[in-house]
Structures are given as C-alpha cells and as structure tokens.
Amino acid sequence: MSTKRLTDTPADIGIAAAILADGGLVAFPTETVFGLGADAHNPHAVAGIYAAKGRPSFNPLIVHVADITMAQRYVHWTDTAQQVAQAFWPGPLTLVLPMRGDAGLAPAVTAGLPSVAIRVPRHAIAQAVLRDFGRGIAAPSANPSGKISPTQADHVIQGLDGKIDAVFATSLCDEGLESTILSLLDAPTILRPGTITPSQLADVLGTPPNQRTVTADHDSSAEIQAPGQLLSHYAPNGSVRLNATAWQAGEKRLGFGEVECDLNLSPSGDLREAAANLFIMLHQIDKLSGDKIAVSPIPQIGLGLAINDRLMRAAAPKP
Ligand code: TXA
Ligand code: MG
C-alpha cells in the first residue's frame, strides 16, 4: 500500500477520520509521540495495528478520547479519576481504569484485560481527529515494536512507510516522551514514568502515588499491570552504555550538561529539553557511523525518572 501524507488542514482531518471509519490506520501527532491510530471498536482495524508494528498480542493499547465524557463511555469513572483528569487532561497522562461492560471495544485493544488505559491528548491535530471521528481511537506509538518512539513524521515514515494508510506529515510532538501511565485500579500507581512527574501527581492526589519498580521480569506477559513495559525497548541498532562519565574510544557520545560530545540532550542541563530531544537524538545518533553509543548520567529526579526509564530500556540486552 502507499502511505498517504496528510497536512494539518480541516480537509485532511476529515480524510483521516474517514480512513479510520473505514478500518484503516492513520499515524497522528500527539504532544508526546506519534500514535498509530485505528477505530478502537473495529477488531480488524486493531489487528492491523499489531501487524504493522509487529507488536506482541499480549501488549494492550491506549484508547485515545476527546474528553472526559468520551472516556466515561469506556471505563468506570471514579472521584480520583475526576481529580487527576481535571488537573492533567488534555495532556500526557494515561489512566488505567476498570472497563465498562458495554464499552464495545475490540478485545485486542485491552489484550483481554478487564481494564482500559485511556487518555485525552492535548495536541490540536489529535484533538481534531478525535472530535471528527467521534469515538475512541486505539493508538500505540507509531514505531515498529521495540524500536525508538517517533516524535517526527520522518521517524514514522522510516519505520512504517507502505504499512499504514496515512501519516500527518507536518506536526511536531513537543514533550517527546510517552505519557505517564497511572493505574487507578487500586491505590494510585505509576506504571510508566512520563513528563507528568510523581510530585505533580502527589500534589493533586494528596499523597505520593506508588511507583512500580522496574525489574528484569517485566519482559514476561505475566506482568499484567503494564504488560507492554518490555525491558528491551526504544532500541537503537548499536549497544548503549549508560552513566558514562568518561568516553571510550570509538563511542558515539550522547551528552547532557557541559560535556564534549557528538550530540547534547541539553547543554544547560535542562531535563525538559533533554526529554524533548531524547528520541530525536537517539534516531540521529543511530545514523552516525559506529555501533557503540554512550550516554552521560541524567539526574534521577523529576523528569529524569522518565528519561532514565527509556534509556535503561534502550540499553537492555535485545531479545
Ligand atoms: O504518549 C503515549 O502514551 C503514546 C501516545 C501515542 O499516546 N502512546 C503509547 O502507547 O506510548 P504504547 O502502546 O507505546 O504504550 C502503551 C502502554 C504499554 O506499556 C501497555 O502495556 C500499557 O500502555 N497498557 C495498555 N493498556 C493497559 C492496561 N489495561 N493495563 C496496564 N497497562 C496497559
Ligand atoms: Mg511504544
């Protein structure tokens, strides 16, 4: 198939919604990364996402909705959900909540789980497509499974050209890291760190959320709480060495702060800038010659938690 390039115009928003209604796949920008969208109610369309990405079928998808009212069609809403949604939606927060009996989602969206991961993206194109389409759009990040997430249309095209119906070819993702995932099935628990930090959530919840610690057995489908948190993920082609305080010969150097390097996530040591640059620079450094990448230490505070989570997965041995 040839992948249509869409622009940020009302006419193309309408074309995207029509492709989705027809069971097709459309990659669209959100404020975090590009999503690969399909009609969340259409089992055939959702199967297409897993096929295009080469994604393991035990790894469920996030349902994107336009607003809280649309979210309530799919999940049992709670007071805590209302509190955090009011504070952070639209924005880079995904909530895991019990699925309603009448949700009508394709079973593959939740990989058979009784819960749904749901979020309201802030990006104008994502919002416009959702409003035009009028129901939930299932969308994982628009990259081949296990590879670096796309924050530019070019990244999507590199990974999925010819495998999907259309991609919005103009917009950018300003946050650059995937959403924070907060499970509200039990006591609030962060399943995946993101640009909304534990302390921001604590301010709204009144107490700090639990944080799932990362261990090697996240690679198994038995890790049902965040089954997609595969240990090896965001994988560049070369090996990745973390917390490099000195460079070794032949390494491609991804720096942070005032260091001599090939690419710098943030020369001034700003974590927000580093988060926005991380996937772009991993894509870029992958293309330089050499097969070893080394990365400066990133402070394990605030946004640094999310950056280090992605780096740790980028550095993990590949299956
Ligand atoms: O920022 C984002 O969240 C981006 C944009 C496109 O919205 N999406 C994204 O999707 O990162 P994906 O598929 O790459 O990551 C979704 C994560 C996976 O780790 C998956 O296991 C988890 O959400 N997930 C989905 N449904 C779940 C559920 N019911 N319970 C626990 N985790 C769930
Ligand atoms: Mg992903």
Side-chain angles (χ1 to χ4, degrees), residues 122 126 203 237:
R122 181 175 67 213
D203 285 346
N237 295 318

Side-chain angles (χ1 to χ4, degrees), residues 2-20 25-29 34 125 129 153 157 164-171:
S2 86
T3 301
K4 194 189 281 283
R5 272 52 162 175
L6 301 174
T7 59
D8 299 358
T9 56
D12 279 8
I13 301 289
I15 290 175
I19 292 172
L20 292 169
L25 303 182
V26 179
F28 61 95
F34 272 76
I125 296 300
V129 173
I157 290 165
I164 63 177
D165 296 280
V167 53
F168 278 92
T170 54
S171 279

Side-chain angles (χ1 to χ4, degrees), residues 24 38 52 55 59 70 76-77 95 101 126 139 199 207 224 227 255 267 269 307:
R55 183 177 174 104
N59 189 2
M70 208 190 276
H76 290 292
W77 203 240
L95 298 178
S199 69
T207 53
I224 212 73
I307 297 171

Side-chain angles (χ1 to χ4, degrees), residues 53 55 141 143 149 178 233:
K53 281 182 62 95
R55 183 177 174 104
S141 50
N143 51 289
S149 293
E178 298 88 343
H233 207 133

